[in-house]
Amino acid sequence: MTPLNEPVKLPCGLVFPNRLVKAAMAESLAGSGNAPTPTFLEAYNQWGQGGWGGLLTGNVQVDVDHLGTPLDAAMHGEYSGKENNEALVGLWSQYATACQRHGTPSIVQLCHPGRQSLRVAGRRGVFAPTIAPSAIPLQLGDSMVQRLLSWLVFPPPREMTQGDIEKVTRQFVDASRLMADSGFSGVELHGAHGYLLDQFLNPKSNKRTDAYGGSAENRAKFVVDIIHAIRKVVPETFAIGIKLNSADHSSDSFEDTMTQIGLLMEAGIDFLEVSGGSYENPTMMGPEKSARTVAREAFFIEFATEARKRFPGLVLMLSGGFRTRAGAESAIKQNACDIIGIGRPAAVNPKLPLVFLDEKVSDEEAQMVLNRVPVPSFLRLIPLNVGAGLETKYYADQIKRFAMGLKTFVPGI
Ligand SMILES: Cc1cc2nc3c(=O)[nH]c(=O)nc-3n(C[C@H](O)[C@H](O)[C@H](O)COP(=O)(O)O)c2cc1C
């Protein structure tokens, strides 16, 4: 039997029946109401029948004023319990049912974009600042033109006050409670890819001099406090995970990241998903080369292997780059991780596990090679790295296509 077919049990008791988990992918289908729409629900209905061990939803923003992109699903205000919010729980229950109707445990990814909120995204107004641990603007390059474009696309942030910190903590807690009441199996905090929680963890974006800045421990305080606060309001059986960026073994931040993982574990996370990158350096999408020239599949396997050595009891999910059954099996067999996170291939084939887990299918067939989405020549004139944005747009379009019953395509065809 392929090791991918073995179940994984989280400390809260939740069991993923196999090791292939769909990674979070923002669907861009929530419409102008920033709430699940019929097409959105249909995408999850399809994934729910795909044989996945679990589904991670696309990011749900905890504050509709601060969206990553205009069509994100979001929380629209405070949540004070089922009794006062029947309609809201009804809506999100439809989402949980679409995901889990066929028995696939599903976890909602919760996010605040912080300074990575597009100027046109969110209901705060195009001239309002974003919020971040420190007032350090996003810089998509060093040249004058790149700085100007960064400013145009992403409003410069203001430093969060203690009041802001408490408000955002409450927003994560309210969202978790709503997801638990709606029947989801857990939440994953988006602590990777340069979003707000990552901005706090990372010394490059966190220059605070109060209890939330300075040492690795202080930078982790915001996230650790959020995890404790969520634990108080959700059932013990409800999973709380976090997606975190890896750090190069040789980099200054490596030991800090390991310290922070230790703190997250102490705070009681059920799993840690390893990824990497940010808008400034989008390594989550992998090297800017054709997939065939990428010798090794999983982008962040060295980091996962090291984290595994330091924290053998921590359930690890590794996302980014898996394209073949053999590659996924190899990561499990070498004990780099417990769970394989799969993003883009799941947008092209929502039922990929039915292929990967079927032992009658040969290794040659159990794969999906994906070239990078080509950058059209007119876009090469823009002095910004648009590759990751194009990848996201391309695969979000594929999600919409399969949800509408249309054929999907791999890039370059
Ligand atoms: C369309 C699209 C949307 C994404 N949205 C999210 C998201 O909401 N949250 C997140 O953590 N990662 C997001 N990602 C990143 C994926 O979860 C994953 O880390 C990345 O695609 C690498 O995995 P892959 O090589 O299997 O695609 C997105 C990726 C794509 C292609």
Side-chain angles (χ1 to χ4, degrees):
M1 183 172 96
T2 165
L4 301 178
N5 232 333
E6 286 161 13
V8 184
K9 188 171 184 181
L10 304 185
C12 66
L14 183 70
V15 177
F16 292 130
N18 69 63
R19 312 237 167 185
L20 299 179
V21 168
K22 177 208 148 289
M25 284 187 286
E27 318 75 7
S28 288
L29 287 175
S32 55
N34 300 110
T37 58
T39 314
F40 184 111
L41 296 179
E42 181 52 27
Y44 285 92
N45 182 34
Q46 299 278 328
W47 273 317
Q49 296 175 67
W52 297 95
L55 302 181
L56 273 159
T57 72
N59 55 197
V60 171
Q61 306 295 348
V62 297
D63 184 348
V64 75
D65 288 347
H66 295 268
L67 302 178
T69 57
L71 302 181
D72 285 339
M75 292 288 289
H76 291 245
E78 293 186 13
Y79 175 73
S80 54
K82 259 197 240 192
E83 320 72 58
N84 315 321
N85 297 278
E86 262 177 47
L88 188 66
V89 174
L91 175 69
W92 287 86
S93 299
Q94 281 179 34
Y95 185 4
T97 305
C99 297
Q100 301 187 135
R101 186 181 286 128
H102 300 276
T104 309
S106 301
I107 293 192
V108 177
Q109 188 184 60
L110 298 179
C111 183
H112 192 301
R115 66 178 185 168
Q116 285 190 165
S117 174
L118 291 171
R119 194 178 279 281
V120 292
R123 301 192 184 169
R124 65 179 179 273
V126 289
F127 298 113
T130 53
I131 56 171
S134 303
I136 302 171
L138 200 68
Q139 266 189 34
L140 302 172
D142 291 330
S143 75
M144 277 295 286
V145 180
Q146 286 168 326
R147 280 169 191 239
L148 178 66
L149 286 173
S150 308
W151 179 88
L152 276 174
V153 180
F154 297 99
R158 66 172 175 78
E159 180 177 309
M160 285 169 72
T161 61
Q162 181 65 33
D164 293 321
I165 288 179
E166 285 160 20
K167 179 176 173 190
V168 175
T169 304
R170 200 186 59 235
Q171 289 171 331
F172 273 100
V173 172
D174 283 0
S176 304
R177 200 170 159 204
L178 172 61
M179 300 314 158
D181 286 348
S182 301
F184 279 103
S185 302
V187 289
E188 178 189 64
L189 307 181
H190 199 339
H193 302 172
Y195 293 111
L196 184 65
L197 302 185
D198 188 21
Q199 289 159 34
F200 268 85
L201 293 167
N202 191 329
K204 291 198 185 113
S205 42
N206 181 348
K207 304 285 181 202
R208 298 179 76 93
T209 52
D210 61 4
Y212 298 91
S215 65
E217 288 84 351
N218 282 5
R219 284 181 274 118
K221 178 174 163 49
F222 182 42
V223 186
V224 166
D225 288 352
I226 290 175
I227 295 169
H228 284 304
I230 295 175
R231 262 283 165 246
K232 284 195 193 133
V233 300
V234 296
E236 272 176 28
T237 51
F238 189 74
I240 304 177
I242 185 163
K243 186 163 182 170
L244 209 70
N245 271 5
S246 48
D248 275 347
H249 198 267
S250 54
S251 73
D252 297 344
S253 53
F254 181 80
E255 282 305 327
D256 277 9
T257 308
M258 288 295 159
T259 302
Q260 291 175 336
I261 293 178
L263 294 168
L264 297 170
M265 225 182 136
E266 275 171 35
I269 51 168
D270 288 289
F271 69 95
L272 179 106
E273 179 182 357
V274 174
S275 185
S278 66
Y279 286 9
E280 289 179 338
N281 180 23
T283 54
M284 61 286 219
M285 294 300 181
E288 294 271 340
K289 297 181 203 151
S290 134
R292 285 187 189 82
T293 67
V294 181
R296 186 175 36 77
E297 272 188 69
F299 309 145
F300 306 109
I301 198 163
E302 280 89 5
F303 181 87
T305 306
E306 194 56 36
R308 169 62 105 216
K309 270 192 222 144
R310 306 263 189 124
F311 306 103
L314 177 60
V315 175
L316 277 184
M317 168 167 169
L318 177 58
S319 296
F322 286 108
R323 300 293 179 261
T324 67
R325 175 168 69 202
E329 283 179 350
S330 152
I332 298 289
K333 280 185 193 151
Q334 62 184 274
N335 196 24
C337 59
D338 305 285
I339 301 167
I340 304 289
I342 297 188
R344 286 163 284 184
V348 176
N349 181 359
K351 298 181 178 161
L352 191 77
L354 301 183
V355 180
F356 274 29
L357 299 179
D358 182 349
E359 307 213 350
K360 293 195 286 302
V361 175
S362 69
D363 272 356
E364 288 68 44
E365 288 169 296
Q367 58 172 302
M368 185 186 287
V369 176
L370 297 172
N371 287 319
R372 291 298 297 248
V373 173
V375 180
S377 40
F378 74 94
L379 281 181
R380 293 202 196 112
L381 300 172
I382 301 176
L384 289 181
N385 180 354
V386 291
L390 284 180
E391 287 278 315
T392 308
K393 164 87 176 74
Y394 181 89
Y395 288 98
D397 286 348
Q398 302 313 303
I399 296 172
K400 184 172 181 183
R401 288 185 66 85
F402 78 68
M404 293 174 68
L406 301 171
K407 189 171 158 38
T408 56
F409 298 96
V410 298
I413 287 186

